[in-house]
Amino acid sequence: MMIHTQIAKAIAKTLDYILSEEEVYNLLETPKQSHLGDVAFPCFTLAKIGKKSPAIIANEIKENLKSEWIHSIEVAGAYVNIFVSQDLSGNHILNQVLTEKSQFGSKPSTGEKVLIDYSSPNIAKPFSMGHLRSTVIGHSLSHLSEKNGYDVVRINHIGDWGTQFGKLIVAYQLWGEKSLIEKEPIKELLKLYVHFHEEAKKDDALNNQARAAFKALENGDEECLTLWKWFREESLKEFETIYQLLGITFDAYTGEAFYNDKMAQVVSELQDKHLLTLSQGAYVVELEDMPPCLITKKDGATLYATRDVTAALYRHQTYQPKKTFYVVGHEQSLHFQQVFQVLKKMGYEWATSLEHVAFGMMLKDGSKMSTRKGKIVLLADVLAEAIETAKRNMNDKNASLLDKELVAKQVGVGAIIFNDLKNLRTHDLEFSLEQMMSFEGDTGPYVQYTFARISTILEKGQYQPKEDTFCSLGEQAWPIIMLLDQFPSLVEKSFDQADPSQVARYSLLLARSFNKYYAHTKILVEDNHKQTKLAFSYAVSLVLKECLRLLGIAAPSQNVINEMS
Ligand code: ARG
């Protein structure tokens, strides 16, 4: 925050560096109401140091504080309230945004890697709305990591191994029909899976059969393996269409099965380090403050946790990430705590760099969606419907739009992504098609619309981007200047807290502020402020576009500004 940095510099100097610039910076606040000032400095810390009343200190600071960045100063109790010199800082920030463009707020490269484990749907099951959360949060985090100077490794830890494949193989052998599966693979496989659970409730022998089938799969049984490969390929094809629509790519699809030939070594390492305990035929690692972590079952079969411990070791060797984010629902919190503690017990200090980025569940009618009970909403269906709605809206409102298909896709998909990201990720989310489809209010389409609106203004005003000294922007623009100034620290905070919702909410605030400004200001009127107003609008559009990009959402403009930026 450029403004805060300048104010902190001036205050620290006035104080003869009793507090460093950084200490002052960290104390600075934003007054609750804007008519009280732009920046507030509370004097409690200084009062303690100097054993004086904070009000006296505040007045002393007021007397001595001088800076070209400060317009005026008022004291309110223990606070020094500062009004910033709007023209100087407005000009400065505007020039900074216009020079740096999409690089505004970007940090220099750290040369270090952040690994993100996200999306990770399960083979032979449809891509659910639940997996959407991991996908869009992870995708946005990957952009935030890059913006903060990290190289990113995007990993899709596909659920392609585990006892459910035993169930599926048995179900297919008993009731499956090849031709049906070839036509609609995931739908038919899901049917088989649901049917298996209904039948297994009546006949427990089926569960034993499924366990045996999975064991055979683990031992490389030809028939089981062929079926498994087929299920996997068909499922991946279907996931790929969704990723394409969302504009998402991965660096690796190393799913659970990838670790099959790597687990034995990890199990023996655990053995060598005397961490394994025999418990009713199974091997577990005893842990502090939580239930033990199951490593192998009675029959020697490995588990989800075994694969995650192995994956963490493999990734550490292969990529040496500075940090790893696991973007997975909070119902798996215990699982990750267990995996992390096992790694710590193995003596790996880097286990502290692993972080479970948990998120709330997608609920339907107040309860969890479950594949087993068939109570599930398919992302593919929701996406298709959102795009259709976007298209209908356009036909009504903007029949002359050029690339209608493309824009409908960008708006429909944007609506869904934004709806997910604007909420604090730890909260549960009630699935509501209606809310997602709402193209007004706190939505992605509203931000997209504001961006396109500015693009049109710039086109009409024939704006040519250039750095310049600008005229005064006026009162109406000031809250927006302050918002632009906050963008770099927002980028940093959203990454530190692994929280894209801050970017989403910021973009809403910026869009709303701009629309308010536009309602009061005639931008296109031919006066000598026109270029400044256009430059200002362009700066806002650059930051809006960058917010959308960070969220993984397209910014359609249908005009020349795209080529200019
Ligand atoms: N496939 C799992 C699921 O759908 C998520 C995997 C998350 N990543 C991991 N490394 N465990 O529940």
Side-chain angles (χ1 to χ4, degrees), residues 115-397:
L115 194 148
I116 309 180
D117 173 321
Y118 69 110
S119 194
S120 312
N122 300 317
I123 295 300
K125 288 189 195 172
F127 198 106
S128 71
M129 289 305 292
H131 286 114
L132 173 69
R133 300 220 69 193
S134 169
T135 308
V136 297
I137 295 170
H139 187 51
S140 177
L141 278 183
S142 77
H143 292 140
L144 280 169
S145 307
E146 282 173 342
K147 186 102 183 145
N148 278 277
Y150 294 95
D151 292 334
V152 179
V153 186
R154 298 160 163 88
I155 294 195
N156 198 335
H157 191 77
I158 298 275
D160 57 2
W161 206 248
T163 42
Q164 71 270 30
F165 291 100
K167 293 175 189 170
L168 210 55
I169 287 169
V170 171
Y172 178 75
Q173 286 166 338
L174 287 174
W175 314 294
E177 251 183 77
K178 194 161 187 238
S179 61
L180 283 182
I181 295 189
E182 273 167 348
K183 244 196 251 152
E184 282 187 294
I186 293 198
K187 199 170 152 212
E188 285 305 318
L189 289 171
L190 177 66
K191 260 196 210 157
L192 283 175
Y193 190 70
V194 173
H195 190 62
F196 179 91
H197 278 273
E198 285 163 3
E199 293 299 312
K201 254 188 248 156
K202 292 177 253 164
D203 178 8
D204 191 43
L206 280 172
N207 284 319
N208 289 333
Q209 259 173 281
R211 264 192 287 276
F214 178 57
K215 194 74 194 109
L217 185 63
E218 284 214 306
N219 292 336
D221 175 87
E222 196 74 31
E223 192 187 335
C224 290
L225 213 56
T226 310
L227 279 179
W228 169 78
K229 269 194 197 136
W230 180 44
F231 298 157
R232 186 178 193 275
E233 266 162 36
E234 293 300 328
S235 307
L236 279 180
K237 262 191 238 160
E238 202 162 319
F239 296 151
E240 207 46 55
T241 57
I242 288 172
Y243 293 136
Q244 257 175 26
L245 206 52
L246 293 173
I248 290 180
T249 53
F250 293 92
D251 297 304
Y253 285 83
T254 38
E256 293 186 45
F258 178 75
Y259 300 99
N260 278 340
D261 59 354
K262 300 170 182 67
M263 280 185 285
Q265 207 194 333
V266 175
V267 174
S268 65
E269 183 180 335
L270 285 164
Q271 196 103 51
D272 292 346
K273 291 183 171 166
H274 307 292
L275 291 170
L276 288 185
T277 317
L278 201 56
S279 164
Q280 298 168 342
Y283 278 107
V284 305
V285 177
E286 297 286 351
L287 300 171
E288 275 100 62
D289 308 321
M290 60 186 90
C293 182
L294 206 52
I295 298 292
T296 54
K297 289 192 198 172
K298 257 205 316 257
D299 59 6
T302 58
L303 292 105
Y304 183 49
T306 326
R307 292 185 278 281
D308 258 326
V309 172
T310 310
L313 286 161
Y314 172 84
R315 292 166 180 178
H316 179 74
Q317 272 167 15
T318 313
Y319 305 106
Q320 287 168 325
K322 165 92 177 155
K323 202 161 181 50
T324 297
F325 292 127
Y326 294 85
V327 189
V328 189
H330 65 41
E331 66 272 20
Q332 293 193 24
S333 285
L334 176 63
H335 163 76
F336 285 106
Q337 281 170 28
Q338 289 176 315
V339 168
F340 299 165
Q341 203 184 109
V342 169
L343 289 161
K344 258 179 237 163
K345 290 205 152 214
M346 292 172 88
Y348 296 115
E349 296 287 334
W350 50 262
T352 52
S353 70
L354 310 177
E355 185 183 335
H356 176 203
V357 176
F359 54 80
M361 278 186 286
M362 188 75 86
L363 303 176
K364 184 138 193 287
D365 309 322
S367 66
K368 189 179 183 246
M369 296 183 187
S370 155
T371 325
R372 260 182 236 171
K373 297 184 192 124
K375 182 181 162 185
I376 195 157
V377 180
L378 302 188
L379 176 60
D381 296 345
V382 176
L383 283 171
E385 207 166 329
I387 295 170
E388 262 322 299
T389 309
K391 216 179 287 176
R392 266 200 311 277
N393 273 11
M394 272 175 207
N395 287 337
D396 300 346
K397 288 193 189 138

Side-chain angles (χ1 to χ4, degrees), residues 259-540:
Y259 300 99
N260 278 340
D261 59 354
K262 300 170 182 67
M263 280 185 285
Q265 207 194 333
V266 175
V267 174
S268 65
E269 183 180 335
L270 285 164
Q271 196 103 51
D272 292 346
K273 291 183 171 166
H274 307 292
L275 291 170
L276 288 185
T277 317
L278 201 56
S279 164
Q280 298 168 342
Y283 278 107
V284 305
V285 177
E286 297 286 351
L287 300 171
E288 275 100 62
D289 308 321
M290 60 186 90
C293 182
L294 206 52
I295 298 292
T296 54
K297 289 192 198 172
K298 257 205 316 257
D299 59 6
T302 58
L303 292 105
Y304 183 49
T306 326
R307 292 185 278 281
D308 258 326
V309 172
T310 310
L313 286 161
Y314 172 84
R315 292 166 180 178
H316 179 74
Q317 272 167 15
T318 313
Y319 305 106
Q320 287 168 325
K322 165 92 177 155
K323 202 161 181 50
T324 297
F325 292 127
Y326 294 85
V327 189
V328 189
H330 65 41
E331 66 272 20
Q332 293 193 24
S333 285
L334 176 63
H335 163 76
F336 285 106
Q337 281 170 28
Q338 289 176 315
V339 168
F340 299 165
Q341 203 184 109
V342 169
L343 289 161
K344 258 179 237 163
K345 290 205 152 214
M346 292 172 88
Y348 296 115
E349 296 287 334
W350 50 262
T352 52
S353 70
L354 310 177
E355 185 183 335
H356 176 203
V357 176
F359 54 80
M361 278 186 286
M362 188 75 86
L363 303 176
K364 184 138 193 287
D365 309 322
S367 66
K368 189 179 183 246
M369 296 183 187
S370 155
T371 325
R372 260 182 236 171
K373 297 184 192 124
K375 182 181 162 185
I376 195 157
V377 180
L378 302 188
L379 176 60
D381 296 345
V382 176
L383 283 171
E385 207 166 329
I387 295 170
E388 262 322 299
T389 309
K391 216 179 287 176
R392 266 200 311 277
N393 273 11
M394 272 175 207
N395 287 337
D396 300 346
K397 288 193 189 138
N398 199 347
S400 66
L401 208 59
L402 293 170
D403 214 341
K404 223 179 264 176
E405 293 290 323
L406 176 67
V407 177
K409 196 186 103 179
Q410 292 173 324
V411 172
V413 170
I416 287 173
I417 298 178
F418 195 92
N419 175 72
D420 200 307
L421 290 180
K422 76 172 184 202
N423 294 291
L424 210 61
R425 68 173 155 73
T426 44
H427 287 181
D428 286 347
L429 204 66
E430 175 69 31
F431 174 78
S432 151
L433 203 55
E434 213 175 298
Q435 221 174 57
M436 279 191 195
M437 308 299 243
S438 145
F439 291 152
E440 276 142 32
D442 290 352
T443 64
Y446 175 70
V447 181
Q448 287 175 317
Y449 153 78
T450 308
F451 173 78
R453 188 181 198 188
I454 301 178
S455 303
T456 309
I457 296 170
L458 296 172
E459 195 180 6
K460 281 195 187 139
Q462 296 180 326
Y463 173 65
Q464 295 295 333
K466 59 175 185 289
E467 290 144 47
D468 211 341
T469 310
F470 301 106
C471 314
S472 167
L473 278 159
E475 277 297 307
Q476 299 291 347
W478 183 239
I480 303 178
I481 292 283
M482 296 275 278
L483 274 177
L484 295 179
D485 185 38
Q486 282 163 22
F487 184 67
S489 63
L490 169 94
V491 164
E492 195 179 314
K493 231 172 72 194
S494 316
F495 170 73
D496 287 346
Q497 299 174 5
D499 181 17
S501 75
Q502 298 184 25
V503 178
R505 283 196 305 272
Y506 172 92
S507 71
L508 282 171
L509 213 58
L510 187 58
R512 232 180 273 126
S513 309
F514 181 82
N515 285 319
K516 203 167 142 196
Y517 166 82
Y518 188 47
H520 288 100
T521 317
K522 292 201 168 59
I523 297 180
L524 290 173
V525 127
E526 291 297 338
D527 57 18
N528 45 17
H529 287 226
K530 186 180 160 198
Q531 277 311 311
T532 298
K533 288 181 286 185
L534 285 174
F536 173 64
S537 308
Y538 180 47
V540 173

Side-chain angles (χ1 to χ4, degrees), residues 447 450-451 454 507 510-511 540-548:
V447 181
T450 308
F451 173 78
I454 301 178
S507 71
L510 187 58
V540 173
S541 79
L542 284 171
V543 175
L544 278 181
K545 188 178 181 184
E546 184 59 1
C547 286
L548 288 170

